[in-house]
Amino acid sequence: MSKSENIIITVGRQIGSGGRVIAGILAEEFGCGMYDKEILNLAAKESGFCEKFFEQNDEKKGFFRSLFHLHTPYVSDNSFYSNKFSQESLFQFQSDAIIKAAEESSCVFVGRCADYVLRNRKNVFNIFITADIGQRINAVCKRMDCDRATARKIITDGENSRSSYYNYYTGKRWGHGESYDLCINSSLLGPEGTAEFIAELIRKQFRSEQ
């Protein structure tokens, strides 16, 4: 791979698996920009819609129904009818922002179907991070300051939403091996060790394509 070609890494993740931490380490390792919720800001700028509208519907399928419960700061009747706003519009705005960022520089994208959006680009490595359920519950308890039962519910509800969103827009299966280049359990090596393992694999992959 020549230095002029961008490295693109996409990271899908189970809740509490440390996927975002791992993505950050990889971004630093390869000198990439990192896009998690940052992509929502880019999508808002590109579309002209309020960023909060994207945040409320982040990685959720069926957000079109919520449009009718929003007030004018999010979307006006005029823009709705003139732009023929549809259920797929938010996804398309977000996808356009992902493509634009990938064209401009090397990037690490967290979630948001980036692996599917960038499926026709070269030098893309798609990863899915899992972890043992007990470890994920502990991580959510710490992050959300909640008990284990609440943490388990957060995980279940959040992952149902993520998988529904991913499966609907990609035609693939969220978290299943055939959808990614690598699925890895971060409980085995910890976030730092997992990131180091992935980084070495990516270097070998890109060297083999030179």
Side-chain angles (χ1 to χ4, degrees), residues 25 47 64 88 108 131 138 166 173 188 197:
I25 296 171
S47 67
F64 182 57
E88 277 67 42
V108 176
N138 289 340
Y166 182 90
R173 294 191 296 170
L188 300 175
F197 177 87

Side-chain angles (χ1 to χ4, degrees), residues 2-197:
S2 67
K3 292 183 179 179
S4 63
E5 295 175 315
N6 294 340
I7 298 173
I8 306 298
I9 302 168
T10 74
V11 180
R13 72 285 183 223
Q14 288 185 314
I15 294 173
S17 66
R20 193 181 192 284
V21 172
I22 292 166
I25 296 171
L26 291 173
E28 184 174 352
E29 176 70 23
F30 290 101
C32 298
M34 179 173 161
Y35 295 92
D36 186 357
K37 290 188 179 297
E38 294 83 358
I39 208 66
L40 305 181
N41 176 262
L42 295 179
K45 289 179 179 179
E46 290 295 313
S47 67
F49 291 107
C50 176
E51 182 178 354
K52 194 167 185 178
F53 184 50
F54 288 87
E55 290 175 352
Q56 288 182 338
N57 297 287
D58 188 23
E59 293 188 302
K60 297 184 179 72
K61 184 178 77 69
F63 47 68
F64 182 57
R65 290 189 297 274
S66 69
L67 179 69
F68 299 101
H69 302 289
L70 299 177
H71 301 294
T72 52
Y74 299 99
V75 58
S76 68
D77 290 340
N78 288 337
S79 65
F80 173 81
Y81 288 112
S82 63
N83 293 311
K84 296 181 181 179
F85 203 92
S86 70
Q87 182 175 354
E88 277 67 42
S89 293
L90 285 183
F91 179 76
Q92 188 59 56
F93 290 137
Q94 188 170 272
S95 297
D96 290 344
I98 290 170
I99 291 169
K100 183 176 181 180
E103 289 175 345
E104 292 177 349
S105 64
S106 295
C107 300
V108 176
F109 294 100
V110 179
R112 296 165 186 87
C113 303
D115 58 307
Y116 175 78
V117 173
L118 301 172
R119 63 195 181 280
N120 294 323
R121 288 189 62 88
K122 295 182 179 179
N123 301 327
V124 178
F125 197 87
N126 302 311
I127 304 158
F128 190 85
I129 308 296
T130 68
D132 297 344
I133 184 60
Q135 179 176 310
R136 295 195 290 126
I137 289 172
N138 289 340
V140 172
C141 285
K142 182 177 180 180
R143 186 170 72 228
M144 304 297 293
D145 190 24
C146 61
D147 59 35
R148 292 181 65 82
T150 301
R152 184 180 287 274
K153 188 175 189 309
I154 289 171
I155 290 170
T156 300
D157 291 349
E159 292 185 353
N160 284 341
S161 179
R162 283 184 185 176
S163 62
S164 179
Y165 178 88
Y166 182 90
N167 297 349
Y168 178 80
Y169 284 107
T170 70
K172 301 193 294 180
R173 294 191 296 170
W174 182 81
H176 287 247
E178 64 269 21
S179 299
Y180 310 91
D181 297 311
L182 174 69
C183 293
I184 186 167
N185 185 335
S186 63
S187 298
L188 300 175
L189 299 173
E192 292 80 9
T194 300
E196 182 180 348
F197 177 87

